[in-house]
Amino acid sequence: QVQLVESGGGLVQVGGSLRLSCAASGGSFSRFAMGWFRQAPGKEREFVARISWGNGSTYYADSVKGRFTISRDNAKNMVYLQMDSLKPEDTAVYFCNVDAMPWGTAWPLPKNRGYWGQGTQVTVSS
């Protein structure tokens, strides 16, 4: 059974940084694309960043491009999201995501969104 556990969220001031981590268990995920989504209060869940299997190509939402960096450690079944220059509009619950099917590219998103973690809260105060 696939399980994803996020950590690293918290309260940070505008312009600060946080690093989110996601530990995946229940299999080996080196062949699977992984990503991050977020959901702010009263809004739909939205895409943030994604990293492919293999060469680890990446894709970012325009709103975070140049500020966030996604990476992965296949040996540890981990995916990370380094968030710099944080803004109040980055406040949300951040969810880790892994594809249900292997060989996924960084973009586009598959129709089957796969597995989700329980989320970690990120709050950026002004």
Side-chain angles (χ1 to χ4, degrees):
Q1 183 177 356
V2 174
Q3 283 193 317
L4 304 174
V5 179
E6 302 97 334
S7 61
L11 176 64
V12 63
Q13 291 187 333
V14 170
S17 297
L18 281 175
R19 187 191 193 213
L20 304 184
S21 300
C22 173
S25 60
S28 176
F29 299 94
S30 61
R31 297 174 298 153
F32 294 80
M34 304 181 78
W36 291 91
F37 288 70
R38 67 187 181 187
Q39 188 167 17
K43 295 188 177 182
E44 293 187 354
R45 190 172 298 188
E46 65 174 5
F47 167 78
V48 175
R50 183 169 159 91
I51 186 165
S52 71
W53 80 284
N55 66 1
S57 59
T58 57
Y59 191 86
Y60 297 91
D62 287 343
S63 58
V64 307
K65 201 173 295 182
R67 300 188 298 122
F68 290 10
T69 304
I70 188 171
S71 61
R72 63 190 297 164
D73 185 334
N74 289 329
K76 296 181 179 179
N77 275 348
M78 297 287 293
V79 62
Y80 306 98
L81 186 67
Q82 177 66 41
M83 305 186 296
D84 299 317
S85 303
L86 283 162
K87 305 175 181 180
E89 51 264 43
D90 295 319
T91 295
V93 177
Y94 283 71
F95 296 91
C96 178
N97 171 254
V98 63
D99 282 4
M101 301 299 291
W103 324 123
T105 58
W107 191 260
L109 297 175
K111 291 183 179 180
N112 182 343
R113 297 294 178 87
Y115 304 96
W116 299 91
Q118 83 290 347
T120 185
Q121 177 70 46
V122 172
T123 303
V124 184
S125 64
S126 56

